[in-house]
Amino acid sequence: MFSKLVFSTLLCFSVFTFAQNSKTENTVLMGGKPVHTYAKLPSVNKPAPKFTLTDVSMKDQTLESYRGKFVILNIFPSVDTGVCSASVHHFNEDAGNISNTIVLCISKDLPFAQKRFCGAEGIKNVVMLSDFRSDFGKTYGVELTDSAMKGLLSRAVVVIDPSGKIVYEEQVDDIGHEPNYEAAIKAVKN
């Protein structure tokens, strides 16, 4: 009787734990191998979670700072990698041609590195923000929870409308791939 009770309790706990993990954890690929993010991205048609990030001047910036505009969150691991750099360049070109829209490029890179990158690469149409001292990665579910890149952010795009509602989200399935730029831009233009 005791062993059946213990077995039943363990089985229930295992099912509960699996259900909890499957609700929160998200799997992406890195070099063909699965890695996990803290949670899934916030859902479309829901209010965008608030955040405070650090700009290249070491000043705090909040989501509220951009209220009334479309906001594209270009989220990535590090500006010092080829795909991440390409996404910043791509959105930098696109952002100059879209009215009432701001692109926030978000990584765990220190603001000094982001500023150096923008100066060296001529990046002027996007805002670089650092998650080095906030909980943005967990709030938006993009913080990597395992692998050599544990603690960095996965590659994702979130589009927020002027009222603060999410109208598009993409968790890129492989960190080595670029996001779907066209879909993100289309979400702004609809």
Side-chain angles (χ1 to χ4, degrees):
M1 180 70 170
F2 179 74
S3 61
K4 284 183 181 180
L5 180 62
V6 170
F7 177 76
S8 295
T9 303
L10 287 174
L11 181 61
C12 288
F13 180 76
S14 296
V15 170
F16 175 77
T17 302
F18 175 78
Q20 289 294 93
N21 288 341
S22 65
K23 286 181 186 175
T24 59
E25 197 173 79
N26 190 43
T27 303
V28 296
L29 297 175
M30 182 175 70
K33 295 181 180 174
V35 295
H36 301 97
T37 62
Y38 185 76
K40 294 182 188 265
L41 286 171
S43 300
V44 171
N45 295 323
K46 300 284 185 186
K50 295 178 182 181
F51 60 77
T52 301
L53 296 165
T54 307
D55 69 16
V56 297
S57 300
M58 298 298 288
K59 293 183 180 149
D60 286 344
Q61 298 296 326
T62 66
L63 180 56
E64 284 298 311
S65 306
Y66 306 102
R67 192 111 169 137
K69 294 183 177 195
F70 277 96
V71 179
I72 299 174
L73 306 180
N74 176 32
I75 306 162
F76 52 88
S78 175
V79 76
D80 287 323
T81 65
V83 178
C84 300
S85 173
S87 74
V88 172
H89 279 281
H90 195 105
F91 278 120
N92 184 62
E93 291 172 21
D94 288 345
N97 300 319
I98 308 169
S99 63
N100 200 39
T101 302
I102 187 91
V103 178
L104 307 180
C105 294
I106 303 168
S107 68
K108 289 272 190 173
D109 292 301
L110 292 176
F112 314 113
Q114 292 176 336
K115 186 174 185 177
R116 174 197 44 79
F117 173 82
C118 290
E121 300 288 325
I123 303 295
K124 297 180 189 229
N125 296 325
V126 299
V127 176
M128 301 295 284
L129 295 175
S130 177
D131 180 30
F132 86 106
R133 62 179 173 198
S134 79
D135 62 353
F136 173 86
K138 289 183 177 161
T139 301
Y140 275 75
V142 294
E143 186 171 309
L144 295 169
T145 61
D146 53 18
S147 82
M149 292 179 38
K150 180 180 178 178
L152 295 179
L153 307 179
S154 66
R155 187 172 319 287
V157 175
V158 176
V159 179
I160 303 164
D161 75 6
S163 72
K165 183 178 72 171
I166 296 173
V167 294
Y168 173 82
E169 56 91 352
E170 175 194 13
Q171 172 63 72
V172 179
D173 62 349
D174 189 312
I175 291 173
H177 296 166
E178 292 183 55
N180 186 339
Y181 303 110
E182 294 76 25
I185 299 304
K186 185 178 177 184
V188 169
K189 293 183 175 180
N190 280 342

